[in-house]
Amino acid sequence: MARTQSDDEIPGVPARRAALRLLDAVLRRGDPLDQAAPPVLRGIERGDDRALALAIAHEALRWMADLDALIDAATKQALPEDAKARAVLRIMLAQALRLNLPGHAVVATGLPLLTGGPRRLAHGVFSAVTKGAVTLPDAPTLPASAAIRWQQAWPERVQPIAKGIAVPPPLDLTLRDPSETALWAERLGGHSLAPGHVRLARAGAIDALEGFAEGAWWVQDLAASVPARLLGQGQGKRALDLCAAPGGKTLQLAAAGWSVTALDKSARRNERLSENLERSGLTAEIVAADALTWTPDAPFDAILLDAPCSATGTCRRHPDVLHRHAAMDELTTLQAAMLERAATWLAPGGTLVYAVCSLEPEEGEAQATAFTALTPKPVTDTELPEGIAATNGHFRSDPGMLADHGGIDGFFAARWTKA
């Protein structure tokens, strides 16, 4: 009797099955996508298949409300939110409408994820949608919870933010030596939006790019590089980077001449920090400890607190944050406690920068307003990337800004000094 080909032996099915599992990890368990991905993708040998699984999951999460609207319009009876057929249709439509994969390939690799009636249902819905020559809107429809929050906080920015997350962002690099900005922009075929920054179109493996092995640069969104820039040049003075791993800001501070202590309580993340330091040829003292219980031996001339937060500002790169609920009260309480504690470690004349990659005012503006232990040191326009202005003496960005240049993550940073 002839042996039939199992579903997972069909080329492309394992990548789609992985994408389905990633959606389940985010939507059902609430896991961050970058934490769910390694174990899910471990069994997929080809790098391009792993990349495809991630791309499918990202696009399905980015456009989920709009994909669901198409699915509901093509079904007589609405599928339950957690129905497997709905999840499979999300990844099938994401491939066809966002990744432009051929319909026959999408069907051949998507239907094996279902059995029985749901398979026939999915085939019918997919055919009805794609034969109708439908298109998705210019900007994704935000999940209701995010839309309500941001409409209240940023009524004039909601639509630009939505448009800013419509496509995966370009690749931002921070240079070890800002004086070589023009050199690396030319070598890598990119362009710069600030000294020490190069932006590239996403293409290929990062570790294959010129300059990676020698540590001439590291990957870091332009917005994420601003808080460390606000501390200026170190000239050998002592700086503390709190919640430092995986180390982008530690590398910035070390490259700017600070003698850096990098503190993070995660041993696993500290390993990545150590690897990044070794690759770049920069040095820092790494401390594995909890900032709420650790005490330094001496005060610091500069402190950078990139506090734990909801990370909603990274939604253009991590659309899963739009679908995960953060315990805001716990986060804001932790942020305030870390900010007050860090202030006691600052030397007279020193500078403290507080930052979060969040679009939530509770984690940014409200924290800065409530903090009175130090003297505000307003951020100025000249310290920020061209095209972004300081807001009430703070740095505030969102994914709708710099739209003509590829956008920027949502970030907040405030700065104080100790008299």
Side-chain angles (χ1 to χ4, degrees):
M1 182 176 178
R3 182 175 179 272
T4 59
Q5 189 179 35
S6 70
D7 289 340
D8 274 349
E9 288 176 326
I10 300 173
V13 169
R16 276 68 175 187
R17 192 177 301 280
L20 191 65
R21 289 172 176 165
L22 290 174
L23 282 191
D24 181 69
V26 171
L27 300 175
R28 185 174 62 84
R29 300 202 304 265
D31 295 345
L33 190 58
D34 59 356
Q35 292 182 20
V40 169
L41 301 178
R42 189 172 296 132
I44 300 179
E45 295 182 2
R46 291 172 55 100
D48 54 353
D49 282 343
R50 293 193 296 271
L52 176 60
L54 278 171
I56 294 171
H58 272 90
E59 292 306 299
L61 290 167
R62 196 184 306 275
W63 293 87
M64 196 168 79
D66 300 293
L67 297 175
D68 280 347
L70 293 175
I71 294 168
D72 292 339
T75 54
K76 293 181 179 179
Q77 184 173 353
L79 294 170
E81 178 67 21
D82 59 352
K84 188 175 183 180
R86 179 180 290 276
V88 171
L89 279 165
R90 285 168 176 165
I91 69 169
M92 290 175 68
L93 290 172
Q95 292 172 74
L97 301 179
R98 291 300 304 161
L99 301 180
N100 299 317
L101 297 182
H104 65 85
V106 174
V107 169
T109 55
L111 296 185
L113 304 178
L114 295 167
T115 56
R119 181 179 291 196
R120 292 190 292 274
L121 171 66
H123 195 182
V125 171
F126 179 80
S127 298
V129 172
T130 53
K131 287 179 180 177
V134 299
T135 58
L136 292 170
D138 292 337
T141 299
L142 296 171
S145 59
I148 292 171
R149 292 196 317 272
W150 296 345
Q151 184 63 46
Q152 293 175 344
W154 324 108
E156 298 179 357
R157 299 299 304 162
V158 174
Q159 190 59 22
I161 289 172
K163 292 185 74 172
I165 66 175
V167 297
L171 184 68
D172 281 347
L173 309 178
T174 295
L175 304 181
R176 183 179 58 201
D177 185 354
S179 70
E180 297 182 338
T181 301
L183 170 67
W184 282 106
E186 181 179 358
R187 283 187 178 181
L188 297 172
H191 64 280
S192 177
L193 299 175
H197 165 266
V198 173
R199 173 164 286 184
L200 310 177
R202 284 189 173 270
I206 291 172
D207 57 6
L209 293 174
E210 184 179 359
F212 175 85
E214 64 198 74
W217 49 261
W218 50 91
V219 176
Q220 185 180 37
D221 188 81
L222 178 59
S225 73
V226 169
R229 293 172 183 267
L230 297 179
L231 290 174
Q233 296 299 305
Q235 299 174 333
K237 294 180 180 179
R238 301 180 71 239
L240 172 64
D241 185 9
L242 285 171
C243 308
K249 296 174 181 65
T250 294
L251 299 183
Q252 279 184 276
L253 293 173
W258 293 94
S259 175
V260 186
T261 297
L263 184 143
D264 198 286
K265 67 179 182 180
S266 169
R268 179 181 60 82
R269 286 166 58 85
N270 278 336
E271 289 178 4
R272 288 184 59 195
L273 195 160
S274 180
E275 292 169 359
N276 288 330
L277 283 168
E278 183 177 359
R279 181 174 65 84
S280 67
L282 298 168
T283 59
E285 177 191 10
I286 299 177
V287 177
D290 188 333
L292 295 181
T293 58
W294 177 78
T295 301
D297 296 329
F300 293 90
D301 301 295
I303 298 177
L304 173 55
L305 170 56
D306 187 4
C309 70
S310 62
T312 50
T314 67
C315 54
R316 62 202 271 270
R317 289 183 293 116
H318 302 294
D320 54 299
V321 301
L322 296 171
H323 304 279
R324 292 189 284 110
H325 176 70
M328 195 62 68
D329 289 344
E330 294 180 12
L331 283 172
T332 53
T333 299
L334 174 61
Q335 291 156 3
M338 296 181 75
L339 190 51
E340 293 287 345
R341 189 168 175 81
T344 66
W345 303 334
L346 195 64
T351 302
L352 168 64
V353 170
Y354 167 81
V356 284
C357 54
S358 168
L359 290 173
E360 317 306 322
E362 302 96 314
E363 300 183 277
E365 287 80 356
Q367 294 285 20
T369 300
F371 180 67
T372 58
L374 300 173
T375 303
K377 186 178 181 180
V379 176
T380 64
D381 294 354
T382 57
E383 297 176 281
L384 302 179
E386 186 175 352
I388 295 181
T391 305
N392 298 323
H394 303 142
F395 165 56
R396 162 57 75 189
S397 63
D398 69 53
M401 296 179 177
L402 301 182
D404 293 338
H405 300 284
I408 190 171
D409 275 1
F411 240 88
F412 174 85
R415 181 173 60 185
W416 299 266
T417 187
K418 187 170 185 177

